[in-house]
């Protein structure tokens, strides 16, 4: 027997035995052998390639997981969502004069477009955009790191979320390209605070560690019109939740976002730690983790698992 949920006007035929379905998909994913674990810093290069986790957190409060769903990993660019939420709340619409809302069609750390477009990043999901958002946080919060950490802990209801200081330090040591992006934006007067302070915030948020259950629970408000289903608290306005989902749909999977929309059809965000989260409006959040990345920087098995689950349950928002 199945029960139906309506999401985006589409019925979702949620199976009674979701756990078994997740188990089947995870087993299949383990036969995908594409991809390479991120190796630009030792702390990521050392992570075992065969970790794999898949979680579905539904709005009724159920969290169903298989695999290594209790193992924390480096969330990297998924943190861009948390930073963006705080910046949208603090700055409102003027934020969109400093960062655009267009897909870049370029790798996430590309510099060329930023020069052509006079230091205004294409969107907040690429590195330049997230560094700009970090500037907003550093400029507008007296303690930007603790504001972000306490928000994330509150969202997932766990004090266990923390920052891996070794990853934070390594990000800084290998951060020349991000520094180039930040200084280029500063040269166009699009960074207000001290560049090194802004970069430190950006590297720090990339080093947040979470597991798939914490990730999925923390972002359930995006599937629920901005309201946290656990606490009932309005986290963002409905309109801001829609806007964040829209940005994820067009830019969250970098220059593979078009393919992801075409084959999966859900707002999603990935990170080079191998995590991916996907939002299913009015239903819940899917999160996947597997460290080997494809050539776009997206988890190869994570993409497979989310695509498979979305296709089997008919989850596309389109
Ligand atoms: O800033 C960087 O380039 C790294 N910390 C990677 C961030 C990231 O996850 C980009 N995405 N796929």
């Amino acid at each position: 027997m199945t029960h139906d949920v309506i999401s985006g006007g589409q019925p979702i035929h949620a199976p009674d035995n979701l756990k078994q379905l997740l188990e089947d998909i995870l087993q299949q994913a383990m036969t995908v052998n594409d991809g390479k674990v991120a190796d630009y810093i030792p702390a990521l290069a050392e992570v075992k390639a065969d970790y794999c986790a898949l979680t579905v957190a539904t709005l009724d409060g159920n969290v169903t997981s298989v695999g290594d769903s209790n193992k924390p990993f480096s969330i990297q660019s998924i943190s861009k969502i948390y930073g963006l939420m705080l910046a949208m709340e603090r700055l409102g619409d003027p934020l969109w004069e400093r960062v655009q809302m267009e897909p870049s069609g370029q790798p996430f750390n590309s510099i060329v477009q930023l020069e052509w477009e006079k230091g205004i990043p294409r969107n907040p999901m690429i590195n330049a955009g997230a560094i700009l958002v970090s500037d907003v946080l550093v400029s507008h919060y007296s303690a930007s790191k603790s504001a972000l950490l306490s928000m994330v802990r509150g969202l997932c209801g766990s004090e266990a979320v923390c920052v891996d200081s070794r990853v934070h330090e390594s990000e800084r040591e290998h951060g020349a390209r991000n520094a180039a992006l930040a200084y280029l934006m500063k040269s166009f007067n699009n960074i207000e605070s001290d560049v090194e302070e802004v970069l430190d915030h950006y590297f720090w948020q990339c080093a947040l560690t979470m597991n798939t259950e914490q990730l999925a629970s923390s972002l359930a408000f995006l599937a629920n019109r901005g309201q946290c289903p656990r606490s009932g608290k309005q986290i963002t306005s409905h309109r801001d939740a829609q806007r964040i989902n829209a940005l994820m749909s067009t830019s969250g999977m970098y220059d593979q976002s078009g393919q992801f929309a075409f084959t999966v059809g859900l707002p999603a965000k990935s990170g080079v730690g191998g995590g991916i989260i996907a939002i299913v409006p009015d239903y819940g959040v899917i999160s996947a983790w597997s460290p080997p990345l494809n050539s776009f920087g997206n988890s190869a098995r994570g993409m497979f698992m989310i695509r498979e689950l979305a296709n089997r349950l008919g989850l596309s928002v389109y």
Side-chain angles (χ1 to χ4, degrees):
M1 209 173 87
T2 62
H3 58 281
D4 292 354
V5 180
I6 303 294
S7 172
Q10 305 284 331
I12 294 172
H13 303 288
D16 282 339
N17 202 343
L18 181 60
K19 186 147 181 124
Q20 187 57 54
L21 176 60
L22 300 187
E23 200 67 70
D24 293 347
I25 291 174
L26 185 132
Q27 291 311 321
Q28 266 184 285
M30 294 312 288
T31 66
V32 174
N33 283 314
D34 301 341
K36 190 168 168 294
V37 177
D39 59 2
Y40 67 96
I41 54 173
L44 290 186
E46 288 161 12
V47 179
K48 277 197 326 200
D50 58 357
Y51 281 129
C52 199
L54 183 59
T55 292
V56 176
T58 46
L59 298 186
D60 57 11
N62 286 317
V63 178
T64 310
S65 292
V66 293
D68 302 301
S69 57
N70 291 318
K71 171 96 186 143
F73 61 92
S74 186
I75 70 164
Q76 292 289 330
S77 278
I78 299 175
S79 64
K80 288 171 176 158
I81 300 171
Y82 301 127
L84 176 62
M85 284 166 60
L86 279 185
M88 285 171 80
E89 182 194 304
R90 195 45 69 103
L91 216 55
D93 282 347
L95 175 64
W96 307 108
E97 290 160 21
R98 296 180 57 193
V99 56
Q100 303 176 66
M101 51 194 77
E102 300 298 338
S104 69
Q106 303 288 324
F108 60 82
N109 54 5
S110 171
I111 293 179
V112 281
Q113 203 166 40
L114 193 62
E115 163 77 357
W116 290 330
E117 299 187 351
K118 304 196 178 342
I120 314 277
R122 269 290 169 116
N123 64 68
M125 301 290 159
I126 53 173
N127 287 12
I131 292 167
L132 184 285
V133 163
S134 300
D135 178 49
V136 172
L137 301 187
V138 166
S139 307
H140 291 264
Y141 283 87
S142 53
S144 61
K145 293 175 184 170
S146 31
L148 196 137
L149 187 58
S150 63
M151 179 190 75
V152 175
R153 286 176 170 170
L155 284 173
C156 64
S158 168
E159 292 297 306
V161 173
C162 60
V163 166
D164 184 329
S165 53
R166 191 169 159 234
V167 173
H168 179 199
E169 203 45 53
S170 294
E171 291 284 345
R172 197 202 323 272
E173 279 166 21
H174 295 82
R177 202 173 175 86
N178 286 318
L181 291 167
Y183 279 103
L184 186 57
M185 288 190 283
K186 184 80 172 176
S187 78
F188 284 107
N189 296 320
N190 200 18
I191 293 284
E192 288 173 357
S193 287
D194 172 68
V195 171
E196 293 305 319
E197 212 184 317
V198 171
L199 284 167
D200 183 56
H201 177 99
Y202 171 74
F203 295 139
W204 173 90
Q205 72 173 39
C206 285
L208 277 165
T209 63
M210 296 173 76
N211 62 37
T212 54
E213 296 198 346
Q214 292 162 337
L215 271 175
S217 305
S218 73
L219 295 170
F221 72 94
L222 288 175
N224 197 37
R225 299 153 201 251
Q227 187 186 51
C228 172
R230 192 167 35 81
S231 64
K233 192 172 160 205
Q234 196 70 35
I235 307 297
T236 62
S237 64
H238 183 193
R239 188 184 72 155
D240 278 355
Q242 288 172 319
R243 287 176 160 192
I244 294 168
N245 287 340
L247 288 165
M248 283 198 274
S249 296
T250 52
S251 309
M253 302 296 284
Y254 304 107
D255 41 339
Q256 208 174 16
S257 298
Q259 186 190 323
F260 196 83
F262 190 85
T263 57
V264 180
L266 294 174
K269 183 77 202 84
S270 66
V272 295
I276 304 179
I277 60 96
I279 310 299
V280 190
D282 302 327
Y283 175 68
V285 180
I286 307 168
S287 60
W289 174 49
S290 162
L293 308 177
N294 66 19
S295 58
F296 298 96
N298 294 319
S299 166
R301 288 182 185 141
M303 294 265 294
F304 173 89
M305 291 190 283
I306 293 180
R307 186 175 62 236
E308 203 56 30
L309 187 60
N311 290 347
R312 291 212 210 170
L313 298 183
L315 299 182
S316 171
V317 297
Y318 300 111

